[in-house]
Amino acid sequence: MGKYEKLLIKILSGTSDANILFEDLCSLLKDIGFEVRIRGSHHIFRKEGIVEKINLQRDGNKAKPYQVKQARNVIIKYKLGGKY
């Protein structure tokens, strides 16, 4: 199991939202097809066919927990997690 799969399982489990590295979450979203636009401190992720946009900001070197939850909800709603 690679880093991508481990991170995806960690996010989908919802048990450690406060411990997800910002760069790792950004990489995961890019890997599943999101395009990023950066406006100041905001990293805005969009994907064709998905109504919601995911807006991330750094909290030190980690992603903000409520934003990890928002990303998880989009991944689950649109079944973007593959076999997980």
Side-chain angles (χ1 to χ4, degrees), residues 1-37:
M1 181 180 313
K3 181 178 180 179
Y4 169 82
E5 290 87 6
K6 288 180 184 177
L7 178 62
L8 186 59
I9 290 170
K10 190 174 179 182
I11 290 170
L12 293 177
S13 73
T15 57
S16 57
D17 289 353
N19 293 318
I20 304 294
L21 294 176
F22 179 81
E23 292 299 329
D24 287 349
L25 182 55
C26 288
S27 294
L28 174 74
L29 292 172
K30 289 177 193 173
D31 285 348
I32 57 179
F34 282 85
E35 294 181 11
V36 65
R37 183 183 74 172

Side-chain angles (χ1 to χ4, degrees), residues 24-82:
D24 287 349
L25 182 55
C26 288
S27 294
L28 174 74
L29 292 172
K30 289 177 193 173
D31 285 348
I32 57 179
F34 282 85
E35 294 181 11
V36 65
R37 183 183 74 172
I38 301 171
R39 307 259 329 194
S41 65
H42 296 263
H43 291 65
I44 302 162
F45 291 85
R46 303 215 65 168
K47 184 174 177 168
E48 190 174 320
I50 295 180
V51 178
E52 295 90 344
K53 61 184 174 188
I54 300 172
N55 183 2
L56 301 180
Q57 293 172 280
R58 290 182 184 273
D59 188 11
N61 67 340
K62 298 192 172 145
K64 294 183 177 184
Y66 77 93
Q67 293 173 340
V68 174
K69 183 178 179 182
Q70 289 173 346
R72 176 176 52 253
N73 290 340
V74 170
I75 291 169
I76 291 170
K77 179 178 179 180
Y78 293 95
K79 298 177 175 61
L80 301 173

